[in-house]
Amino acid sequence: MGTLRDAVYGVAVGDALGSPVQFLDRATYPHVSQMLYCEIFGKEPGLL
């Protein structure tokens, strides 16, 4: 069984990887497997 820490890390990583595509239509966003530049927030990879 996981811990609260594991859950928090999972949410943080999912949020960070999803931020570059969060306002795009599902059919238009690319496969995301690494940190990307986020045009919406103007942040470099890993800084959001």
Side-chain angles (χ1 to χ4, degrees):
M1 182 171 222
T3 64
L4 178 60
R5 181 188 67 198
D6 296 335
V8 171
Y9 285 155
V11 168
V13 169
D15 185 51
L17 288 174
S19 65
V21 296
Q22 73 183 35
F23 297 114
L24 300 179
D25 182 29
R26 178 178 266 186
T28 64
Y29 63 78
H31 175 76
V32 178
S33 62
Q34 64 182 0
M35 298 296 243
L36 300 173
Y37 174 74
C38 183
E39 293 180 21
I40 298 165
F41 300 110
K43 299 291 183 180
E44 293 298 320
L47 295 179
L48 188 61

